[in-house]
Amino acid sequence: MTSKDDLEKAKERAKKRAEEIFRPAPPEIEEELKKEKTLGNPKNLVRPDNKNE
Amino acid sequence: MLATHKHATIKYDDIRKSARHIAEDNLPQYLKGKLKLKGVDRAALAAFSIWQNLPERKTDWDWNFASRYCFRYPKAFDLSVWHGNSLCSLTLGRPTFKGTEMRLDFIEKTPLNCLFSGDMFRISLLAYETYGDLIGAKKIRIMEPMNSKLISFYMSYGGFSYVGPKRGNPHYLVRDL
């Protein structure tokens, strides 16, 4: 379980980050964000963990 | 299932739900109340089965893998985003082995038109950062992004740094939480 304090801190942080993350980007970037159907590579999901990190 | 594995599954399931809930609550006004954040559950996999047969879909990836993945990695984070009964996107990732960095490994958006298509990446990022925060990770990683315009943008304005590929590991963008 996560403590109430941790949850409150996460809520505060998410509120602040949401303002940054959802700030409108230049039209060219907004277009890329709409256009891209995937992000990342599913092969990384099956790649074994690097135990040093 | 070992008792410790079961305990971890239950514990992290609670944290996953909290992270989705917090992220959903903090969506901007134009998305709030319109989109729901859930796990990659039965409903998501049923909706995915429709994606699989669409000619518009260019990805060869079976999301049914997600349930096995979350069993194998109890700290993994799975996310589905819904607009009403329409599945908008699916996302999967897990923390690094030592748990210090949260990885956002793969996002797939619906092959169909989606009113909020341009927001899916940002929603996943918010949810993954929130989950990372709750499990005590210190950084968020976006694994192997391929779009050079988006990489440049997130490095210039999003506070991310680029880490190149090394020893068979893929490149990624990373940012402090």
Side-chain angles (χ1 to χ4, degrees), chain B residues 140-157:
Chain B
I140 179 80
R141 283 185 188 186
I142 301 170
M143 299 301 293
E144 211 171 344
M146 298 305 289
N147 184 311
S148 56
K149 286 181 187 170
L150 293 181
I151 291 172
S152 300
F153 177 72
Y154 279 96
M155 285 173 68
S156 304
Y157 301 99

Side-chain angles (χ1 to χ4, degrees), chain B residues 12-59:
Chain B
Y12 286 95
D13 203 36
D14 278 343
I15 301 176
R16 283 186 279 271
K17 283 177 187 159
S18 295
R20 292 180 202 119
H21 182 70
I22 292 171
E24 189 179 302
D25 266 0
N26 284 286
L27 292 177
Q29 283 305 319
Y30 69 95
L31 299 174
K32 208 168 180 173
K34 295 188 177 77
L35 300 177
K36 294 280 173 208
L37 274 58
K38 298 179 180 176
V40 182
D41 54 13
R42 278 187 192 181
L45 295 177
F48 164 69
S49 68
I50 299 168
W51 290 10
Q52 276 184 303
N53 300 318
L54 294 171
E56 295 91 337
R57 186 170 189 250
K58 306 294 178 207
T59 311

Side-chain angles (χ1 to χ4, degrees), chain B residues 62-163:
Chain B
D62 186 350
W63 281 93
N64 287 292
F65 170 80
S67 53
R68 294 201 302 278
Y69 185 76
C70 290
F71 181 80
R72 169 82 175 82
Y73 299 103
K75 295 181 185 177
F77 186 54
D78 56 323
L79 178 69
S80 63
V81 181
W82 296 80
H83 179 215
N85 290 326
S86 301
L87 178 63
C88 303
S89 69
L90 294 167
T91 310
L92 204 52
R94 69 179 188 268
T96 55
F97 185 75
K98 291 181 180 172
T100 53
E101 300 186 23
M102 184 62 206
R103 293 169 27 176
L104 196 171
D105 280 295
F106 184 57
I107 304 174
E108 182 177 0
K109 298 197 292 191
T110 174
L112 301 168
N113 288 331
C114 171
L115 192 59
F116 305 107
S117 180
D119 292 301
M120 288 304 129
F121 168 62
R122 290 184 268 221
I123 293 167
S124 291
L125 183 58
L126 179 63
Y128 271 69
E129 287 194 6
T130 304
Y131 180 72
D133 197 21
L134 287 172
I135 64 169
K138 302 295 176 209
K139 295 176 186 228
I140 179 80
R141 283 185 188 186
I142 301 170
M143 299 301 293
E144 211 171 344
M146 298 305 289
N147 184 311
S148 56
K149 286 181 187 170
L150 293 181
I151 291 172
S152 300
F153 177 72
Y154 279 96
M155 285 173 68
S156 304
Y157 301 99
F160 283 89
S161 306
Y162 179 84
V163 177

